Amino acid sequence: MPCLSVSPSPKAPCSPVRLLCVLLGLLAVHSHANAVLTVPQQLSLSPNMFTQQVSISWLGGSATTFDLMILRTEFNETVFYETVSVTVNPVSGQHQYNWTSVEPLECTSLSIQIRSRDGQTTSEWSPTQILKGRDLPSDEKFQMFPQDRVVQVGSNMTFCCIVGEGKRYADMVYSKTVMNATRLSRRSYAITVINQPPSGSTGTNVVCHGTHNSHFTGAVVFVGYPPLLSNLKCETHDLISAVCSWSEERETLLYGRRKTQYLLNNRNCTDTQLKQTQCTAAQWTNTWTLVAVNILGRYSLTDTAEITHRVCPVAPTNLSHIVHAWNATVLWQWTHESYSSLSLVCEVELTSEGSKTNYTFSGVGLRSVVLVDLNPNEKYAVRVRCGAQQNFWKWGNWSKAHLFTTNTDVPDAPDVWVWINKDNTGQIVWKPLSQRQSHGQITGYNVTLWSSEDNEQHTEIVSANTFDLPFNFTKFATFSSDNKVMAAVLAKNADGLSQPANLVIPLRLTDAEPLAVSRAFYSKQGFDLFWQSDVNATSGYVVEWHDASCMRDCPVEWTKVAAGNTNTSIESVNFQPGVRYDISVYSCSSEAPVLLQRWQGYMQELVPSSSVSLSITQQGSDVLLTWGEILLDRRRGFLLGYNVYMSNGSQLTPIANLSDLGNRSYIVKGLPEGSYKFTVKAYTSAGEDTGATASITLEPYTDWLILEILASLGITALFLVIVTFICYKKRKWVKKAFYPDIPEPKLPGDWSRTQGPLDVKPLPHSVVHIVEKPELDSSKEMLVVIPEEDEDEDAMGDEPVDTDEPTSLRYYNQVVDERPIRPRFPDSSASSTSSLDSARTDVTYTGIQTSGSLVFQLDSQGSSEGHEHQADLSAPCGDGGGGYRPQMQPRASNDINLASSTPFLKPQASSAGGYKPQCSWHLDSPDEAEDSGDLAPSLGSPTSVASTQFLLNDVEEHTEEKRQLSSSAATWFTNLLSSAKP
């Protein structure tokens, strides 16, 4: 055989053949593989409706990879299609795969097929196996799946509703929320709820409705938590058994048959409590294990301890008491005899009038304690709890409260103060004793007054409901000589009198200057007060306060401050907003209290409760606003000032802010005529009051003019009264200066016999002849001189002058005294002497007669005729050249009686000299000229020889006379002011 022979050639002679052999072998292997992938057989389904799982098993050779396809049978919709790896059971030779459905398995029928897979090679699909659902046409009722399912909070869940045959689906509601549904089959609908919230104790309802109201169904789902515990502790109460307790970190929200089950050391200790946190064991062991289980999960805890380290005594029982006035003994019993040898520490809680006090006692088998420092006649409540003194674990439970009342005793001394009025009266006041201070029912008070120097003593018994005693300084002064009285107040009850509360009352108030008042401010603690320390305050200080509007027998409140403290905060239930309080601090010693400092303050400032009383008056074009003070009790705060407004309808325009409280007036200046309305508001730190409004209408102010006129008249009248008074006081001087006495003629010789008429005949040359001039106006009246020889002597008698005849001027020459003429106003006696000494002829009578047509005045016509008239009138008295002038005496420079400023006729004769007849004269008074109508009156009075009454002056002399008169008037006024006597 050539193929088996050995050839020396290096190449194998059979290599192509070998390659062909390999290819044929591979083809044979592939054909064999196709023959191995058999179709799965004996497919079986095993559903679990609670877990919604389907267990699928089959027989299918040695393949490990299979394609699984699950369809909804009715709609032929794919639910699951995946390639899964499944190992064969070596004993049974079966393949098994578990599939969990999202929807409950009852919702619809499922068709399941499997085929083998080897890489890309697959077998044929197995025969279809159908898992029937509950949506069969033969069932006509509504159904909901799943029912009564328990799930954890936050899980997702699908519910399906199967509609009865021939009925229609409407909607599905999850806990009042309508959900969107997916149709699974002709009669099945499903909803999916994501992240479910915790349900209530009865679960969460899911309801399916048909189109007809009677067609519905539903299910309940319970959403909760698995158990979660902590803090397992076991202890003993009787030194034998054990009590283990724990805490739940959260509620499971599952109740009833779904609640948590507890196992303590594998012994069931679940009870019927909804919330169990304790479990007991009859015998103590040093290790304890607790297991908690519910549908959603389980949790376990472990605790280890010795029994002596976990002793917690039970609460004492049967409490009793033995009481006295100031102490009491409390007793109790134990339910376990084992406590008799146990070292215990007990806490006693004592409660009285809302306050609690704790006491601690210790001892072996402790069963009683003594409570001290109690108050008489007071109700107490006591309870006790105990613990192990050694290896203290924790306090046991409190016993039930036990009540008792202490015995009565004499009361405490009352708190006493004194209020003194400004009228030497006052009242001793004291505070009512509280129940803790009275130590029993108060039956009254004894008030005793006495003097430290005298033995006088006075006691008043006051009822239990009276807390003040009025007194009068005048009454006490009768038995006290040291200006002070000691007062003692004692409270009384059934057990006796209290200790006295002493007080020193001064009989007279000191007249020291009042202290400055500071301002107190209110805070959460009350009025905060600070003052300077007083070395004399050996008994401390008393802070007193009362309503500032009260002035007599005030309801005063006070508090005492220990010596060494110089600050306090006062609070009272009687403090009211808007009320001002006077606060005072007194230094107390063995003597009378001494006032140290004063304050005023408000608990809360409010706006004033009333407005000012506003009045308004007109002052010309100005308006004066004035208002009064607001009463203290209506201010309701510290006044900061006043605001003045002008009202314009409903709008207020501010015009002034007055921060000076003493200034309660304001002037609005320069207002035109019209109607105005003004409002004044007082304000505090809380705001303004409602304001006071006043109106006024400005009119032309005539009253002021009337007042000015009346004032002027009054001043004038006053001036006249003063002048009259001065003239009256200086009446002699005034009479001498203005109205001197005319000297009476004093004639020598014997005048006792009847004297005949004095016949003095002038010398022939004394006759004045009148020369008629043709140029003179005949109508002008002129002076007519009657010769002496033609004069009838009888005409000098008492016969009246014939007024029908033209008036004639009778002229008699006079003896001229060569001495200078003296004034007329000096002393009358001097004048008389001068007159007698200056002439031989003792008396000269001058008779001057004027006819009705003789007028001594200038023509009222123009100035061009004035000079002519003057020349004419002076012509009869002599020309300017001179002539016989017997009366040449000059006028006295200080003759002030020449009142007429201008002579009736102005002579043109020069001052060189010459005869000046009495053809012109001055009137004594301007009034006489006015009364006579500027006509010269008839003069017939005797005239002294030295008289210058009727002498005529020239123009130069008249001017000089005016100057002398002015000088004389100034001299008179100076003399009037400087003269002390007239």
Side-chain angles (χ1 to χ4, degrees), residues 648-693:
N648 299 323
S650 60
Q651 183 180 3
L652 295 179
T653 302
I655 58 177
N657 172 258
L658 306 178
S659 58
D660 183 9
L661 299 179
N663 183 16
R664 294 190 299 276
S665 63
Y666 183 75
I667 298 177
V668 185
K669 298 183 177 181
L671 295 176
E673 296 179 7
S675 297
Y676 298 92
K677 185 181 294 184
F678 299 93
T679 301
V680 175
K681 296 184 177 182
Y683 64 92
T684 65
S685 61
E688 297 178 328
D689 61 12
T690 56
T693 303

Side-chain angles (χ1 to χ4, degrees), residues 489-510:
V489 180
L490 298 89
K492 181 172 59 176
N493 65 6
D495 293 295
L497 292 172
S498 69
Q499 293 294 321
N502 297 322
L503 185 68
V504 179
I505 305 175
L507 292 182
R508 295 176 180 85
L509 294 175
T510 59

Side-chain angles (χ1 to χ4, degrees), residues 425-681:
T425 62
Q427 55 183 352
I428 301 172
V429 293
W430 57 90
K431 294 181 180 179
L433 294 177
S434 65
Q435 183 179 359
R436 177 168 292 184
Q437 295 171 332
S438 61
H439 303 161
Q441 183 66 36
I442 297 296
T443 58
Y445 298 92
N446 289 358
V447 182
T448 303
L449 304 173
W450 77 94
S451 174
S452 60
E453 295 184 358
D454 303 331
N455 294 326
E456 295 288 342
Q457 182 172 320
H458 178 71
T459 301
E460 291 279 349
I461 299 177
V462 183
S463 65
N465 297 326
T466 303
F467 307 105
D468 61 82
L469 178 66
F471 63 85
N472 193 314
F473 287 159
T474 306
K475 178 180 178 181
F476 294 153
T478 58
F479 59 88
S480 177
S481 59
D482 57 353
N483 294 330
K484 63 181 180 180
V485 169
M486 304 296 293
V489 180
L490 298 89
K492 181 172 59 176
N493 65 6
D495 293 295
L497 292 172
S498 69
Q499 293 294 321
N502 297 322
L503 185 68
V504 179
I505 305 175
L507 292 182
R508 295 176 180 85
L509 294 175
T510 59
D511 296 333
E513 295 183 0
L515 297 176
V517 179
S518 303
R519 186 170 295 186
F521 297 95
Y522 191 86
S523 64
K524 293 182 179 179
Q525 294 77 25
F527 287 103
D528 297 326
L529 307 177
F530 303 87
W531 61 87
Q532 295 293 330
S533 177
D534 186 11
V535 295
N536 297 323
T538 57
S539 300
Y541 304 92
V542 171
V543 179
E544 167 198 279
W545 65 90
H546 62 89
D547 190 340
S549 61
C550 176
M551 303 303 295
R552 179 182 177 84
D553 293 339
C554 299
V556 63
E557 295 184 71
W558 70 93
T559 184
K560 293 184 178 179
V561 181
N565 293 340
T566 57
N567 63 85
T568 188
S569 295
I570 60 173
E571 178 61 281
S572 173
V573 296
N574 297 323
F575 283 150
Q576 298 294 329
V579 177
R580 181 180 295 187
Y581 294 96
D582 274 341
I583 308 172
S584 306
V585 60
Y586 293 86
S587 170
C588 298
S589 62
S590 59
E591 301 297 326
V594 177
L595 179 62
L596 297 181
Q597 192 169 344
R598 294 185 60 200
W599 298 269
Q600 284 188 341
Y602 288 88
M603 175 186 177
Q604 179 184 355
E605 293 193 51
L606 304 175
V607 298
S609 60
S610 65
S611 304
V612 298
S613 56
L614 180 62
S615 62
I616 185 169
T617 56
Q618 178 180 353
Q619 294 182 348
S621 62
D622 301 339
V623 171
L624 174 62
L625 302 174
T626 58
W627 56 90
E629 283 189 301
I630 301 177
L631 296 179
L632 180 61
D633 58 342
R634 298 182 181 178
R635 295 180 186 177
R636 305 204 301 175
F638 292 106
L639 291 183
L640 302 179
Y642 303 94
N643 287 328
V644 183
Y645 300 91
M646 178 180 289
S647 300
N648 299 323
S650 60
Q651 183 180 3
L652 295 179
T653 302
I655 58 177
N657 172 258
L658 306 178
S659 58
D660 183 9
L661 299 179
N663 183 16
R664 294 190 299 276
S665 63
Y666 183 75
I667 298 177
V668 185
K669 298 183 177 181
L671 295 176
E673 296 179 7
S675 297
Y676 298 92
K677 185 181 294 184
F678 299 93
T679 301
V680 175
K681 296 184 177 182

